[in-house]
Amino acid sequence: MTVAATALTAARRARDLAELAAGDTVDLLVVGLGVTGAGVALDAASRGLTVAAVDAHDLAFGTSRWSSKLVHGGLRYLAGGHIGLAYESAAERDVLLRRVAPHLVSPLPSVLPLTPLTPAVPAALARAGFAAGDVLRAAAGTPAGILPRSRRIAPVEVHRLVPAVRRSGLRGGLLGWDGQLVDDARLVVALARTAAGHGARVITRCRVEQLHGRGAAVLDKLTGEHHELRARAVINATGVWADQLDPGVRLRPSRGTHLVLRPGALGRQLAGLTVPVPGTTSRFVFVLPQQDGYSYLGLTDEPIEGPVPDVAEPSAAERGFLLDVMATVLDTPLSDADVVGSFAGLRPLLAGAAGSTADLSRRHAVRVSPDGMTTVVGGKLTTYRRMARDAVDAALTAAGLPVGRCRTARLPLVGAAPAQDLARLGPPARLVARYGTEAAELAALAEHDPDLARPVAEGLAVTGAELLWGVIREGALDADDLLDRRTRIGLVPADRARARAAAEAMVERGRAATTA
C-alpha cells in the first residue's frame, strides 16, 4: 500500500465528493468517522466493497478523541461480573497490541495502592480481579512477555513507580498491566487512512441532513452545496448522536471527564495509578502518564440530560470529585494549580434498566431499521473492530449483498510493524510511537527544511514537520484539526494559544503543496 494511496488531502476530498455527487453508487455509505465508523469503512473496503464514509466535522471529532487512551482488558467489567465482555476486551487488546497497531499501543503498568481506605475484603476482591485478568490475558493469547502477570508489590516499589502515594499506613500495592494508546485520535486517523488505501472515499465536513437505507442527503460544509449520495447499504455509526438519524435507537448518554495534570504533579510517575472510589466495588479513578509529560486524571460517569452537545464540557462537580478521590491516596492533595486542562467525552450507552449510567452495559448493539439502514451503538474504543465487523455483516445481509470475510483481525494499519522492527527505526522514539514506520518519511521533511525540525512553540515537543504531515497526509483542513486531533496540543489551552500561529501557517503551506 503506497503513501499516495493512503494520503488524505483537501484535494482528494473534493475529488471524491464530486464523484459521489455526480451519481456514483457505492456498496456502503458510512456516516460517522469516529473509531467505529472509521473501523466500519476499513472493514468493508478491505472486503473489496466500494465505500464512502462521511462526517459532519473532522476525523475523531466526537467521543473517540476524549477517551482515557486505554486499550484495556476489562478489569472493571470483571468486577461487575461481565466476564464475556471482559474476555472480548482482552482479545481485542491482543489484536491491537500485536498485529493491528503495535506502533500506537504499548504496555502500561498500573498500581493500585493498598491504603487504610482499602480494607482487607475489598483488597482481596481487587487481587482476585487482577488474577482473573491474568487468566483472560492468557486466554486471549497475549504473551506474558508483552503484558506481565499481575503481582503484589512492597511499599518501596509503589513509591518508586508513583512517588506521590501516601506513605502512612501503606501496605504495598497491586501491580497490573494493560494497553495504552499513545493517542486515541491517531488510531482513528490511521484507520481512516488505511481504509482510503483500500479505496474508501473519506470525506469530512460533510453533514448528513437525511439518511435512509439507500443513501443520504448531505451538505458540503466547505462550499454550502447540497448533494444526494447513493449506496446499496448504509451504516449509521454516529455514536452518541445515532438516535438523531435513527429514532428507533434508545440511548442514555453519560459524560466522562478527565483533568490534565501538569508534568511532575505526582512526581516522576512511571506507572498509572488506580484508586478505588470509596464506598464502591467496581468504580475506579486513575492517573495515566502520557508521552508528553502530562498526566490524565479520570474518570467520571455522569448522565446527560437534554440535547447532546457537539463538544461536552466538564463540570465543577466532576472536577471536585476527581480531586477528592485522589486525595485519599496522596501525601499532598492535588491543587487547582496542578490542573492545566480538562476534557469530557460522551458515551453512547444503550438505555437499560440500571439506575445509574455507571451500571449500564458497555456492550454494543446493531439494529436494522424498517427501511434497511443499519445502526451500530454502544461498545467502547477497545472493541471497535468487533463492532465494525458486526455492523458490516448486518448491513450487507440486510441489503442482500455478499457478506465476504472480515480481514481486520490481521490487517496492520498504516505505520504498523512488529515491535522489534519499530525499535530498530532511526527516528526519535517519540515519532515512532506516533507514526510508526512513517516516522522516517516525516523526519525527512525536516532534512529538506531545518525550520520544520523545530518545536512549534517553546516547551512543546511537536515540530512543524508533524503539523505539515497532518495536512499533506492525514486530512487536516484547518488549524483546529491540527491542534486538537492530529496532535493533542489543544488539551492544554495555554499550549494551544502558543501554537496556533504555527498551525495556521502549516495549513496554508500544506494546501499549496497538495494542490501544486
Side-chain angles (χ1 to χ4, degrees), residues 237-507:
T238 53
V240 76
W241 300 276
D243 55 357
Q244 296 179 15
L245 296 175
D246 183 355
V249 172
R250 293 181 60 245
L251 297 178
R252 191 177 171 193
S254 76
R255 182 176 62 241
T257 285
H258 295 80
L259 306 181
V260 182
L261 305 181
R262 64 172 178 81
L266 298 185
R268 187 168 177 266
Q269 188 179 356
L270 302 178
L273 176 62
T274 301
V275 183
V277 175
T280 71
T281 58
S282 62
R283 288 195 65 193
F284 304 89
V285 162
F286 39 76
V287 183
L288 304 172
Q290 304 299 309
Q291 185 191 55
D292 56 13
Y294 294 109
S295 294
Y296 299 155
L297 163 58
L299 183 67
T300 62
D301 201 319
E302 296 295 324
I304 295 296
E305 305 295 341
V308 176
D310 281 348
V311 178
E313 294 292 337
S315 70
E318 289 172 299
R319 179 186 180 110
F321 165 79
L322 292 171
L323 294 178
D324 287 347
V325 173
M326 287 305 302
T328 65
V329 299
L330 300 180
D331 264 334
T332 303
L334 296 169
S335 69
D336 287 340
D338 294 313
V339 180
V340 294
S342 62
F343 59 93
L346 301 178
R347 305 177 183 89
L349 302 179
L350 292 166
S356 166
T357 53
D359 297 322
L360 288 175
S361 174
R362 267 54 176 174
R363 289 192 179 278
H364 69 272
V366 177
R367 174 186 184 273
V368 179
S369 67
D371 73 351
M373 176 176 62
T374 299
T375 297
V376 55
V377 290
K380 52 199 176 65
L381 184 145
T382 304
T383 58
Y384 81 87
R385 195 194 64 80
R386 295 230 186 165
M387 295 173 66
R389 180 198 65 188
D390 292 350
V392 172
D393 286 350
L396 297 180
T397 299
L401 297 171
V403 173
R405 180 175 61 88
C406 174
R407 299 178 52 209
T408 55
R410 296 188 176 277
L411 185 63
L413 303 184
V414 290
Q420 60 270 25
D421 293 344
L422 293 171
R424 290 194 291 265
L425 294 179
R430 191 190 74 82
L431 290 181
V432 173
R434 298 183 66 80
Y435 301 94
T437 58
E438 293 190 319
E441 185 180 351
L442 186 150
L445 294 175
E447 292 177 6
H448 299 293
D449 182 351
D451 286 343
L452 293 177
R454 298 190 180 97
V456 297
E458 185 179 353
L460 299 181
V462 176
T463 66
E466 292 174 73
L467 297 184
L468 182 60
W469 185 266
V471 181
I472 66 175
R473 292 288 184 265
E474 299 179 340
L477 299 180
D478 61 24
D480 290 341
D481 291 353
L482 291 176
L483 296 172
D484 296 335
R485 290 167 288 277
R486 303 310 179 277
T487 69
R488 306 316 295 275
I489 292 172
L491 289 177
V492 178
D495 292 347
R496 191 179 198 278
R498 292 187 295 126
R500 186 165 189 87
E504 291 173 344
M506 286 303 160
V507 169

